[in-house]
Amino acid sequence: MSAATLVFAKNVRTSRTQTRDGRNPAFLPPAGVTHSAAMKRIQRIGLFTGGGDAPGLNAVIRGVVKSALHTHGIEVYGFTDAFRGLVLGQGHWLTWNDVSDILTLGGTILGTTNRDNPFDFVDDHRHPEKRRNATRDVLTHYRRLKLDALIAVGGDGTLQCCHKLAALGLRIVGVPKTIDNDVRGTDLTFGFNTAVTTATEAVDKIHTTAFSHHRVMLIEVMGRTAGWLALQTGIAGGGDVILLPEIPYRLDAICAVINQRARRGKHFTIIVVSEGARPHGGTVVVRDRIAGSPEPIRLGGVSTVLAKQIEQATGIETRSTILGYLQRGGGPTPYDRFLATQFATHAVELVAQRKFDRMVALRGNKIADVPLTVPGRGPRLVPHNSPAIQMARRIGTGFGDE
Ligand code: F6P
């Protein structure tokens, strides 16, 4: 053990007033755990979760807090409710106890929102017309808490805002999250694997009703403008047709698959449709618009529209199910827990090494990092020549285009 190495066990005190540097003993690692004094320059960081929730957020919070405390002796302040907490200065210091037993929990113990933006902030959502640039407040709280850096867990909207905040002097590392898997710069976001699992289980269940009632069944999944969730769910759930935002569909091409299946004696059809799917030459179905949100348009309902059209065109009973928030709920799969922990610990390493304005990423099968500018280059979409699409076509899966 080098002279520069601190042994935390010797420093453990029983109350906040007893610590040598005024820090709360609840943050100290267990007896015997050491960290390099050289890393100690970063002492406090902020952490928040932003955007729609996704399974694995708590696993990231746990990974960040545990590795920050255990490996580097860094204290972590958790801001509540995403950018709202940063603007209003709301949150608390996270202790070992706070992050114990949360690995398997869905949602986020810090809370989140996908409608707040510090550059266009609405204090009271009953008055969305009253907006302001609240970045000065964010800087004030960052300085008041004596933070050395921030770790932001979010999708492309949150991460883009973070890059703009970095330009104002905040030191930020991003962690990509979303069930949509559409963050540019990473091959995968945590939350996606769990959402695919949940959606596939739903397709499996709907299959039995489709078969028994000789119906066409549409299952609508989330994903915004990217079809990753529909594509993997469709393939894993044995969908006969998969409709993606990236491939505009034709009603006659969908009906051709249904009729061909009927001729082969299959009197039911499963169609997995992404909420962002749209007809050739047509537009998406918009469910809602949220003023001030980094992503104001909310999609949803295409399966209901399409079900009526299919029933009219084929004469076959057709039903639709919108899976909605089921896909974001529940505990993370083991894969997502693992990925979230990898992302979390890498984010803390970047902070400790003072590598800011970066986003952690999965590249191939390696954990890496990319500039925080990358997620701002637009959503990562499914390429038309994606190996998964080609594979599905080879087994006769339709994409509504031919
Ligand atoms: O980005 C995640 C996501 O779940 C999308 O798939 C979906 O379109 C959107 O969020 C829904 O947002 P909200 O929670 O505002 O309805």
Side-chain angles (χ1 to χ4, degrees):
M1 194 182 301
S2 80
T5 300
L6 294 182
V7 180
F8 273 102
K10 288 182 187 159
N11 294 338
V12 173
R13 306 284 197 279
T14 50
S15 78
R16 184 173 184 105
T17 49
Q18 286 175 298
T19 53
R20 196 178 48 192
D21 58 359
R23 295 161 81 190
N24 189 330
F27 300 118
L28 297 176
V33 173
T34 63
H35 78 94
S36 161
M39 293 297 187
K40 201 164 175 290
R41 277 170 288 146
I42 299 281
Q43 293 191 328
R44 295 172 204 85
I45 60 172
L47 170 69
F48 72 95
T49 54
D53 69 339
L57 282 167
N58 284 323
V60 173
I61 295 169
R62 171 183 178 269
V64 166
V65 173
K66 285 198 169 191
S67 69
L69 291 173
H70 182 88
T71 307
H72 302 288
I74 296 172
E75 293 179 3
V76 184
Y77 187 88
F79 287 98
T80 48
D81 297 337
F83 287 123
R84 181 151 288 266
L86 263 88
V87 169
L88 304 179
Q90 288 169 348
H92 57 277
W93 293 99
L94 294 165
T95 66
W96 289 92
N97 273 349
D98 290 325
V99 298
S100 164
D101 284 338
I102 65 167
L103 176 64
T104 60
L105 281 186
T108 158
I109 60 164
L110 291 177
T112 190
T113 161
N114 56 4
R115 58 181 186 169
D116 288 323
N117 175 350
F119 293 89
D120 191 17
F121 191 72
V122 177
D123 284 280
D124 181 346
H125 282 286
R126 288 171 302 180
H127 300 286
E129 70 290 353
K130 289 189 190 153
R131 302 180 191 183
R132 65 186 174 102
N133 183 335
T135 50
R136 187 183 287 231
D137 297 11
V138 174
L139 289 169
T140 301
H141 297 302
Y142 183 86
R143 289 190 192 120
R144 174 178 61 81
L145 293 161
K146 296 190 169 57
L147 299 180
D148 298 307
L150 271 181
I151 293 183
V153 191
D156 54 0
T158 302
L159 297 173
Q160 274 179 54
C161 274
C162 284
H163 176 62
K164 282 166 71 183
L165 286 173
L168 299 179
L170 265 62
R171 303 194 290 200
I172 307 188
V173 168
V175 177
K177 157 254 51 153
T178 167
I179 64 161
D180 304 339
N181 199 29
D182 63 348
V183 177
R184 195 171 286 276
T186 182
D187 294 344
L188 211 52
T189 53
F190 71 86
F192 176 68
N193 181 266
T194 308
V196 169
T197 305
T198 302
T200 304
E201 280 168 12
V203 173
D204 291 349
K205 291 193 168 139
I206 285 170
H207 231 113
T208 58
T209 302
F211 172 82
S212 307
H213 284 260
H214 320 296
R215 285 178 178 165
V216 174
M217 294 295 235
L218 289 103
I219 300 107
E220 180 174 323
V221 299
M222 285 182 166
R224 298 193 306 173
T225 54
W228 300 104
L229 191 50
L231 182 60
Q232 278 211 14
T233 301
I235 292 172
D240 308 297
V241 178
I242 303 173
L243 302 178
L244 309 177
E246 293 86 350
I247 305 178
Y249 63 81
R250 292 180 189 280
L251 184 61
D252 56 354
I254 299 170
C255 295
V257 174
I258 297 167
N259 292 329
Q260 189 193 46
R261 281 176 58 77
R263 283 197 296 277
R264 287 186 190 145
K266 292 283 185 188
H267 297 288
F268 71 94
T269 296
I270 298 288
I271 303 177
V272 176
V273 50
S274 175
E275 63 180 4
R278 62 189 162 87
H280 198 81
T283 53
V284 290
V285 177
V286 174
R287 168 171 55 90
D288 210 356
R289 287 173 205 273
I290 317 272
S293 166
E295 280 294 337
I297 289 179
R298 299 292 189 274
L299 302 173
V302 60
S303 61
T304 314
V305 174
L306 199 49
K308 285 206 180 83
Q309 295 171 340
I310 291 172
E311 188 164 292
Q312 241 170 24
T314 62
I316 300 172
E317 231 185 349
T318 304
R319 296 284 191 274
S320 65
T321 305
I322 301 176
L323 295 186
Y325 301 99
L326 263 184
Q327 299 158 93
R328 296 215 312 236
T333 56
Y335 184 90
D336 274 336
R337 295 177 205 178
F338 188 81
L339 183 63
T341 307
Q342 284 181 301
F343 277 175
T345 51
H346 189 62
V348 172
E349 286 312 305
L350 290 177
V351 167
Q353 292 166 23
R354 297 177 167 268
K355 291 188 183 159
F356 303 118
D357 212 13
R358 312 278 302 166
M359 178 187 83
V360 302
L362 184 75
R363 315 278 286 179
N365 57 6
K366 289 209 167 62
I367 298 296
D369 46 270
V370 298
L372 202 47
T373 44
V374 176
R377 292 187 202 145
R380 192 177 70 94
L381 303 180
V382 180
H384 283 212
N385 62 351
S386 123
I389 293 181
Q390 289 177 21
M391 174 191 73
R393 286 195 197 277
R394 269 184 224 123
I395 59 168
T397 308
F399 285 86
D401 58 338
E402 54 189 38

